[in-house]
Amino acid sequence: MLQIYNTLSRSKQEFKPIIPGQVKMYVCGMTVYDFCHIGHARVMIVFDMVVRWLRASGYQVIYVRNITDIDDKIIKRAIENGEAISALTNRFIDAMHADSDELGLAHPDQEPRATDFIQEMQGMISRLIENKLAYRGDDGDVNFAVRLFPQYGRLSGKSLDELNAGERVAVGGGKRDPLDFVLWKSAKAGEPADTRWQSPWGEGRPGWHIECSAMSCDLLGEHFDIHGGGADLQFPHHENEIAQSEGALYGQDRKSSDEPFVNYWMHNGHIRVNEEKMSKSLGNFFLIRDVLKSFDPEVVRFFMLRAHYRSPINYSDAQLEEARSGLVRLYTALAHVPVISNIALDPGLPWVERFTTAMNDDFNTPEAIAVFFDLATELNRAQGEKKIYLANTLKSLAATLNFLQRDPTVFLQTGSRDGDQGLSTEAIELQIAARVAAKQSKDFTKADEIRKQLLEQGIVLEDKPGGLTEWRRA
């Protein structure tokens, strides 16, 4: 049975969907005012993996990932650029989709934009006011009264006195308590017309936290299975989502028997650079599109999933090179072996059992990937029908996580995009032809020198029976 680590309970729990055979999952997406960085890539890759395994396990999955297309940072950038909000956000939504496609990720089933759910947000805010959990401040903002919601702090595990005000919203003069957070921001003088909407509380725009509560409840219902996002969203964003959603539904008198907003909360770990959390404020972040100029998308996905999704990852070119070397080993094992894609796997096979057990243990991809390497070792030793059988097993298992589905020769010759900046395929073939000619004329010194020169440029030659020479990038 699938076990998921639930941040809310701080333990692994057996996964029991609300509706048997169906999973409803919401993941917090991007704020679209700039290109996506490698931290965004981890969120996308992790929850793409989760969806793939759930579907491989027979579940019908509804995967929703939102887009924040109204936000203080978006407004600031649009004003700086002298462009409309929609022009800015549409451009970066297109860029996000391009990055996701390049990484080989499936699109969510639904990708709601915050600006399309203003009415739903206002409806939830009205319910919170009716339930006496929200109030309009002197500055016109509508705020959530945190101390009036007794269960606040369950997700972060902190008492109210330990908690600080939300990271994105400065404490304003209209708040009754520093812990309170904004639900509706009143329009300010000089702000563009496309940043404000009419509401019962005057012109303004939604706060950041309310959008995910409104969109998830509208699209998945007021009680759904899985909510995911990066570890940095646990507090205050997800804590606030619980308070808003359950506060709107149950008011201040929520009982322990009442259904929770979400059954399982999942958070992926941070990416670190030189053992510091990657962040724009530190200037140590890397855009996905820049990373993909040097490394194949499959290498980036492999790098991410070699670590458990809840663990922090230390990002470096050396780590990516190590991931690429691992994929080279796996693709090399598959080279020249007839493979039938997606064969029916015998669940009783030891490799299939290990892989399934690993994935059902809170999506333990490091152990699942270890099965790939064990299979590759057996494959390299095998001959004849057994070799074909093992190769098909390896490729079919790897297909579950969208690995090893390319022609091995293509990957081995182009698996690192750094190689694209070195010798071209034509130049390599000419060098190989020159080496063959040198061997035929018995000039073995020259042949060895050509091999050495190619190796220095990252090209590995492998002599095969019949005088054939194959090559791959190191």
Side-chain angles (χ1 to χ4, degrees), residues 165-457:
E167 295 176 355
R168 287 196 175 195
V169 184
V171 176
K175 292 184 180 180
R176 298 174 183 171
D177 188 293
L179 281 177
D180 294 349
F181 58 88
V182 68
L183 299 168
W184 186 261
K185 305 183 77 169
S186 62
K188 304 299 187 291
E191 290 181 337
D194 58 356
T195 66
R196 59 182 72 197
W197 288 262
Q198 292 292 337
S199 83
W201 321 286
E203 283 192 334
R205 63 181 183 273
W208 176 46
H209 307 297
I210 193 67
E211 68 176 69
C212 287
S213 287
M215 287 189 283
S216 62
C217 288
D218 184 77
L219 296 172
L220 297 176
E222 294 171 332
H223 180 212
F224 58 93
D225 299 293
I226 299 173
H227 194 315
D232 56 320
L233 299 183
Q234 182 178 339
F235 179 82
H237 185 52
H238 290 164
E239 191 79 71
N240 292 350
E241 277 191 65
I242 293 173
Q244 294 164 163
S245 304
E246 297 185 1
L249 186 60
Y250 303 118
Q252 299 181 35
D253 301 322
R254 185 191 185 283
K255 303 176 182 62
S256 59
S257 59
D258 290 331
E259 290 183 331
F261 168 44
V262 173
N263 280 3
Y264 303 86
W265 287 87
M266 296 179 64
H267 294 93
N268 64 269
H270 295 300
I271 289 187
R272 305 177 69 82
V273 179
N274 295 324
E275 301 306 328
E276 288 187 306
K277 178 187 171 185
M278 189 182 73
S279 70
K280 289 188 177 182
S281 61
L282 294 175
N284 63 350
F285 70 101
F286 301 86
L287 299 180
I288 295 172
R289 55 195 46 221
D290 288 339
V291 173
L292 293 181
K293 290 176 183 176
S294 298
F295 292 94
D296 186 272
E298 190 170 359
V299 170
V300 176
R301 287 190 288 108
F302 198 70
F303 160 71
M304 295 288 186
L305 295 184
R306 285 193 318 160
H308 192 274
Y309 78 89
R310 287 191 285 115
S311 301
I313 295 179
N314 196 47
Y315 174 89
S316 69
D317 282 358
Q319 294 283 350
L320 282 166
E321 285 291 355
E322 185 178 326
R324 189 183 68 83
S325 296
L327 275 176
V328 165
R329 178 182 164 192
L330 295 174
Y331 269 113
T332 300
L334 288 172
H336 311 299
V337 183
V339 173
I340 304 169
S341 297
N342 301 320
I343 63 166
L345 289 168
D346 179 356
L349 288 174
W351 301 288
V352 178
E353 283 187 346
R354 277 184 57 204
F355 181 86
T356 302
T357 298
M359 293 301 295
N360 280 339
D361 181 16
D362 192 31
F363 308 98
N364 189 348
T365 53
E367 178 60 28
I369 288 172
V371 175
F372 298 166
F373 286 105
D374 289 348
L375 260 171
T377 298
E378 292 294 321
L379 172 58
N380 288 331
R381 295 171 179 162
Q383 298 293 327
E385 290 298 318
K386 184 178 180 181
K387 192 176 189 74
I388 296 173
Y389 172 75
L390 292 172
N392 279 280
T393 301
L394 172 56
K395 187 168 182 179
S396 294
L397 273 183
T400 309
L401 300 182
N402 196 25
F403 291 123
L404 306 182
Q405 300 308 294
R406 294 147 72 182
D407 181 282
T409 300
V410 171
F411 177 86
L412 293 170
Q413 294 185 354
T414 61
S416 171
R417 295 193 176 187
D418 281 331
D420 296 341
Q421 302 166 14
L423 286 178
S424 67
T425 299
E426 293 77 11
I428 295 167
E429 297 290 355
L430 284 173
Q431 288 283 70
I432 291 174
R435 179 171 175 267
V436 170
K439 290 171 69 176
Q440 289 174 344
S441 62
K442 301 192 183 302
D443 189 348
F444 299 112
T445 300
K446 182 178 180 180
D448 289 344
E449 184 62 29
I450 291 172
R451 176 193 284 273
K452 180 181 177 183
Q453 289 173 355
L454 286 171
L455 185 59
E456 289 172 350
Q457 296 176 82

